[in-house]
């Protein structure tokens, strides 16, 4: 079955590349690398598409259906899923390795024979971003393969799944969704869809393989009844609609090869949906069950083939009229960012808005489950969580988020908020505590989720990531490494680079404040005096960073802002303003955290005193008696009382 799927995808991709011819290269100002390079790239990209999806699907199956028999070994479906994971990940890594060179030749317009010339290999590897992107994918594929061979830890498999999902984005965000008007929407939709579709489509394919090996395991039927799967399919359909509108750039489906490819992908989704609906109630071994397997395989193969083939054809968004500013941002910012413009000129940040909506919806389900069960949940925690994500939506969707790539001062306001204000609110929501409480005392799935969360919390890798010294170094050092090196100028030119900075600051800020004022129990916790010192130690670094920005003669990201050539932008003035924001904006939130920390400390001492009094009244604590005994022994030792008096007083 795997061979058939791979053959179909390879044939479709090769045919697309050969029929396109040299014109697709010259249309975007590239040299044609020759037919052999086109064929090899088509084959390797097709294999990558197939086995990256199958690998992540098998990995997700191992994570989701990880079960043991009553004996000492894994259940037969789990054993098969692990074997499939090893095979798929090995083939995936083997295909990506030569892609780092071949796709470098392809995107630089170099034939295979050029590798014989000195220095050409180096140019092929550095001329475009693609070789570096494939190296990231290769590293992820190797990690997954190593975990599948040498680890039985659920936490290790779960972490490697996230690594694989994130690595898949590397060759996507630098490709077709990087160019054209409104590419910020197209790129955000691709960032959401790529890992989501890989897991969902891969899970469906893996479930078919498991049912072929173990007809009574019912993996496909279980998936068809899963709400999470249907949410995933809905997410794929919604993001594909956004991607389609962006790529077509005002043209119709029938005007371009890309349009037909997108339409075929929709047909594939429809086939998968209909067959899952039919197979949800099918009995194992029935005609409907067999038909459901065939339909899923047909839909999965079609989706893979069209996705791989689309990478070889420039989409219409390449040729849409565009301005210099929109080339970098995806939109224009003609008006000067005065308060009224920042308040009224909105542009949704699709990635962070979807993330916020998903986080609030999931949190609400947990709170609702507790309420239905009759358990209470502090209203302040819910307010903190919701307020944090609503602030994120407003911050990134308002004029502040829209103008942040073009104006360094506004950029600093946004990033200080993402790094300090919003994380300080989110950690007060206690999402891990809510997850553990909402899954306690429930069905088998709830117990399994609770056990998996506990395994992840106690995973040694997480203990290392949340070590106070590591978190402090990353939290403080991020500003210096990003803004005082050429890194910021390299990242700000691309929408994916800007989103990467946004997500980085949000995650690092959450890690820092979870150690200080978070309500979730973490593998590494500081005493209250340690938390206070932790916050105070960070304050001078923010102040010094702000002063450095204000005194630096060469503005940060100067070449990028000069390229935008915005008439209202005063680059040195915005640099000075950004330094002031970093100075004051870094101090004030941390002072607020110190106040909150002091309140938490006082409340904790009060609770400890009340608990001690209750134990004393109930006779459950001997601390007071032990303390009196120590005083008597000291008094006897000093000669203040005799031994007989001490024993008499003790009695």
């Amino acid at each position: 079955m795997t061979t058939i799927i791979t053959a179909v995808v390879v044939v479709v991709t090769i045919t697309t590349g050969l029929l396109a011819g040299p014109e697709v290269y010259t249309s975007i100002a590239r040299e044609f690398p020759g037919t052999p390079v086109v064929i090899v790239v088509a084959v390797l990209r097709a294999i990558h598409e197939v086995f990256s999806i199958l690998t992540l699907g098998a990995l997700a199956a191992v994570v989701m259906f990880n079960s043991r028999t009553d004996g000492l070994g894994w259940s037969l479906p789990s054993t098969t899923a692990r074997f499939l994971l090893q095979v798929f990940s090995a083939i995936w890594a083997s295909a990506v390795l030569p892609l780092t060179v071949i796709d470098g030749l392809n995107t630089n317009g170099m034939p295979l024979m050029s590798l014989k010339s000195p220095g050409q290999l180096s140019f092929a590897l550095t001329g475009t971003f693609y070789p570096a992107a494939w190296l990231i994918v290769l590293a992820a594929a190797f990690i997954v393969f190593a975990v599948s061979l040498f680890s039985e830890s659920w936490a290790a498999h779960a972490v490697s799944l996230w690594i694989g999902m994130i690595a898949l984005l590397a060759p996507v965000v630098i490709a077709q969704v990087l160019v054209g008007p409104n590419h910020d929407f197209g790129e955000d939709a691709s960032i959401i869809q790529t890992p989501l579709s890989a897991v969902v489509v891969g899970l469906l394919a893996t479930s078919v393989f498991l049912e072929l090996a173990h007809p009574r395991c019912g993996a496909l039927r279980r998936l068809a009844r899963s709400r999470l799967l249907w949410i995933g399919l809905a997410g794929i359909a919604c993001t594909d609609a956004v991607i389609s509108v962006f790529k077509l750039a005002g043209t119709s489906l029938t005007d371009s090869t890309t349009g037909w490819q997108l339409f075929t992908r929709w047909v594939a989704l429809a086939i998968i949906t209909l067959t899952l609906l039919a197979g949800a109630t099918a009995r194992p071994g029935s005609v409907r069950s067999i038909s459901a397997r065939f339909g899923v395989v047909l839909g999965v193969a079609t989706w893979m083939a069209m996705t791989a083939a689309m990478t070889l054809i420039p989409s219409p968004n390449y040729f849409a009229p565009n301005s210099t500013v929109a080339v970098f941002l995806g939109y224009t910012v003609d008006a000067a960012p005065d308060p009224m413009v920042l308040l009224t000129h909105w542009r949704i940040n699709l990635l962070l808005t979807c993330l916020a909506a998903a986080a609030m919806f999931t949190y609400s389900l947990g709170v609702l489950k507790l309420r239905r069960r009759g358990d209470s949940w502090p209203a302040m925690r819910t307010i903190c969580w919701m307020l944090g994500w609503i602030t994120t939506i407003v911050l990134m969707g308002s004029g502040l988020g829209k103008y942040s790539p073009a104006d360094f001062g506004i950029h600093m306001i946004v990033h200080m908020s993402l790094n300090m204000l919003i994380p300080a609110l989110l950690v007060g929501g206690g999402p891990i505590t809510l997850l553990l409480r909402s899954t306690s005392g429930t069905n088998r799935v709830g117990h399994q989720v609770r056990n998996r969360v506990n395994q992840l919390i106690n995973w040694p890798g997480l203990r290392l990531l949340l070590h106070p010294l590591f978190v402090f170094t990353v939290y403080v050092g991020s500003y210096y490494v990003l803004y005082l090196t050429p890194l910021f100028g390299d990242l700000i030119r691309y929408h994916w680079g800007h989103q990467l900075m946004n997500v980085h600051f949000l995650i690092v800020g959450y890690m820092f404040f979870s150690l200080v004022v978070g309500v979730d129990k973490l593998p590494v916790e500081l005493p209250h005096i340690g938390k206070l010192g932790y916050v105070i130690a960070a304050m001078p670094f923010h102040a010094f960073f702000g002063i450095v920005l204000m005194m630096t003669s060469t503005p940060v990201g100067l070449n990028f802002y000069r390229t935008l050539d915005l008439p209202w932008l005063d680059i040195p003035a915005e640099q000075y303003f950004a330094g002031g924001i970093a100075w004051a904006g870094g101090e004030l939130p941390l002072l607020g955290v110190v106040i909150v920390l002091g309140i938490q400390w006082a409340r904790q001492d009060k609770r400890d005193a009340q608990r001690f009094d209750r134990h004393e009244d109930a006779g459950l604590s001997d601390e007071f008696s032990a303390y009196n005994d120590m005083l008597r022994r000291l008094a006897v030792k000093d000669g203040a009382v005799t031994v007989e008096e001490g024993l008499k007083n003790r009695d």
Side-chain angles (χ1 to χ4, degrees):
M1 186 67 71
T2 308
T3 305
I4 296 174
I5 294 175
T6 306
V8 169
V9 178
V10 168
V11 169
V12 171
T13 309
I14 291 177
T15 303
T16 302
L18 292 178
L19 291 178
E23 291 78 11
V24 298
Y25 289 85
T26 57
S27 65
I28 56 175
R30 284 183 183 173
E31 294 289 335
F32 181 60
T35 301
V37 171
V38 173
I39 293 176
V40 175
V41 164
V43 172
L44 293 177
R45 276 186 172 268
I47 296 175
H48 156 73
E49 186 67 31
V50 172
F51 286 95
S52 64
I53 290 177
L54 293 181
T55 297
L56 294 186
L59 187 53
V62 170
V63 171
M64 294 176 62
F65 305 135
N66 197 355
S67 60
R68 289 181 178 270
T69 61
D70 294 334
L72 297 178
W74 297 100
S75 65
L76 289 178
S78 293
T79 302
T80 303
R82 288 170 177 272
F83 172 74
L84 291 175
L85 175 60
Q86 294 173 5
V87 175
F88 293 158
S89 59
I91 298 175
W92 181 27
S94 300
V96 174
L97 178 59
L99 258 178
T100 57
V101 177
I102 299 301
D103 211 17
L105 296 176
N106 178 55
T107 52
N108 284 291
M110 301 168 60
L112 283 173
M113 299 304 294
S114 64
L115 293 178
K116 293 183 178 181
S117 302
Q120 293 302 301
L121 177 60
S122 175
F123 179 76
L125 294 176
T126 58
T128 64
F129 285 141
Y130 283 92
W134 290 120
L135 282 175
I136 294 173
V137 178
L138 176 62
F142 180 78
I143 290 173
V144 173
F145 177 63
V147 169
S148 69
L149 283 181
F150 303 115
S151 177
E152 292 190 353
S153 166
W154 179 88
H157 283 82
V159 171
S160 63
L161 175 61
W162 278 103
I163 292 174
M165 292 167 61
I166 295 172
L168 274 186
L169 296 174
V172 173
V173 297
I174 62 173
Q176 296 176 357
V177 294
L178 183 62
V179 297
N182 301 309
H183 70 257
D184 54 322
F185 290 142
E187 194 147 21
D188 282 352
S190 295
I191 291 173
I192 297 169
Q193 187 196 76
T194 300
L196 180 62
S197 62
V199 171
V200 171
V201 175
L203 257 178
L204 291 172
T206 302
S207 66
V208 173
F209 298 149
L210 291 178
E211 285 200 353
L212 291 175
H214 311 284
R216 294 189 174 276
C217 71
L220 185 60
R221 189 172 70 255
R222 291 167 62 185
L223 281 178
R225 296 175 178 177
S226 171
R227 294 178 182 177
L228 287 178
L229 179 79
W230 289 106
I231 293 174
L233 288 173
I236 294 172
C238 292
T239 52
D240 210 48
V242 176
I243 293 171
S244 299
V245 172
F246 160 69
K247 284 192 172 184
L248 293 176
T251 62
S252 67
L253 283 172
T254 57
D255 287 343
S256 63
T257 303
T258 300
W260 285 106
Q261 291 169 335
L262 290 168
F263 176 75
T264 308
R265 287 215 311 184
W266 297 349
V267 172
L269 277 180
I271 293 173
I272 292 174
T273 301
L274 293 176
T275 53
L276 285 177
L277 289 173
T281 57
R283 291 176 297 177
S286 64
V287 176
R288 288 175 60 189
S289 177
I290 297 174
S291 300
R293 295 174 193 168
F294 176 77
V296 167
V297 171
L298 177 62
V300 166
T302 305
W303 176 273
M304 293 175 175
M306 291 301 102
T307 304
M310 275 198 295
T311 62
L312 304 180
I313 305 292
S315 49
N317 59 286
Y318 269 93
F319 312 107
N322 216 0
S323 65
T324 301
V325 175
V327 165
F328 292 100
L329 308 186
Y331 52 89
T332 59
V333 283
D334 297 328
D338 57 44
M340 184 57 65
V341 168
L342 295 179
L343 187 63
T344 58
H345 286 215
W346 283 59
R347 187 177 182 87
I348 185 174
N349 187 301
L350 189 61
L351 176 62
L352 291 179
T353 299
C354 290
L355 177 63
M360 290 190 291
F361 176 74
T362 306
Y363 194 94
S364 299
L365 290 180
V367 174
L368 183 61
K369 190 171 185 178
L370 286 180
R371 296 287 172 82
R372 287 177 176 175
R373 206 167 61 194
D375 296 338
S376 61
W377 180 254
M380 184 54 66
R381 294 186 182 182
T382 304
I383 293 173
C384 286
W385 183 260
M386 297 300 175
L387 185 59
W389 287 117
I390 291 173
T391 304
T392 302
I393 295 174
V394 173
L395 177 73
M396 301 308 301
S398 66
L400 289 171
K402 180 180 179 179
Y403 276 81
S404 63
D407 188 308
F408 188 62
I410 297 176
H411 165 90
M412 189 58 64
I413 294 176
V414 170
H415 276 196
M416 295 298 288
S417 300
L418 287 172
N419 195 226
M420 293 189 173
L421 174 62
I422 293 172
L425 291 170
L426 293 179
V427 297
I432 298 176
T433 303
L434 176 61
L435 178 61
L436 292 175
R437 285 190 57 186
S438 62
T439 54
S440 62
T442 56
N443 55 19
R444 182 180 60 85
V445 176
H447 285 297
Q448 188 177 27
V449 171
R450 182 182 177 87
N451 291 335
R452 297 311 186 200
V453 172
N454 283 323
Q455 288 181 30
L456 196 59
I457 292 175
N458 296 317
W459 183 53
L462 185 62
R463 182 180 294 272
L464 176 63
L465 289 176
L466 291 178
H467 191 280
L469 182 59
F470 175 79
V471 173
F472 185 87
T473 302
V474 175
Y475 179 75
V476 171
S478 293
Y479 286 92
Y480 292 87
V481 173
L482 177 62
Y483 295 110
L484 302 184
T485 69
L487 183 59
F488 175 78
D490 295 334
L491 291 177
I492 195 63
R493 299 172 65 87
Y494 309 101
H495 179 71
W496 62 264
H498 195 242
Q499 293 290 56
L500 179 62
M501 289 187 283
N502 290 336
V503 174
H504 167 79
F505 280 115
L506 186 62
I507 293 176
V508 172
Y510 191 94
M511 293 168 62
F512 180 85
F513 288 104
S514 65
L515 291 173
V516 178
V517 292
V519 299
D520 289 325
K521 186 172 180 61
L522 300 175
V524 180
E525 292 193 350
L526 296 171
H528 283 92
I529 187 65
K531 293 178 180 180
L532 182 61
Y534 202 62
V535 175
I536 293 176
M539 295 173 70
F541 290 96
H542 283 93
F544 181 72
F545 169 73
I547 294 173
V548 170
L549 282 184
M550 297 171 71
M551 298 180 63
T552 300
S553 58
T554 303
V556 177
L558 178 62
N559 291 333
F560 169 72
Y561 294 117
R562 280 180 174 174
T563 303
L564 293 183
D565 193 25
L566 295 167
W568 49 262
L569 181 61
D570 187 341
I571 299 176
E574 291 303 320
Q575 168 98 0
Y576 190 84
F577 175 71
I581 291 295
W583 187 358
E587 299 294 307
L588 295 178
L590 290 179
L591 285 175
V593 169
V594 169
I595 296 174
V596 173
L597 181 59
I599 296 174
Q600 289 182 344
W601 194 350
R603 289 179 177 176
Q604 182 64 42
D605 285 347
K606 184 178 180 180
R607 286 194 296 266
D608 291 342
Q610 291 174 346
R611 183 170 58 252
F612 178 79
D613 291 340
R614 287 195 304 268
H615 286 188
E616 277 292 322
D617 295 339
L620 299 177
S621 176
D622 58 353
E623 293 183 13
F624 187 71
S625 299
Y627 178 72
N628 286 336
D629 287 342
M630 181 192 69
L631 292 179
R632 293 188 190 97
R633 287 195 298 270
L634 291 175
V636 170
K637 183 177 180 180
D638 294 339
V641 297
T642 64
V643 176
E644 291 77 7
E645 290 175 337
L647 293 175
K648 182 178 180 181
N649 292 334
R650 180 179 179 180
D651 297 335

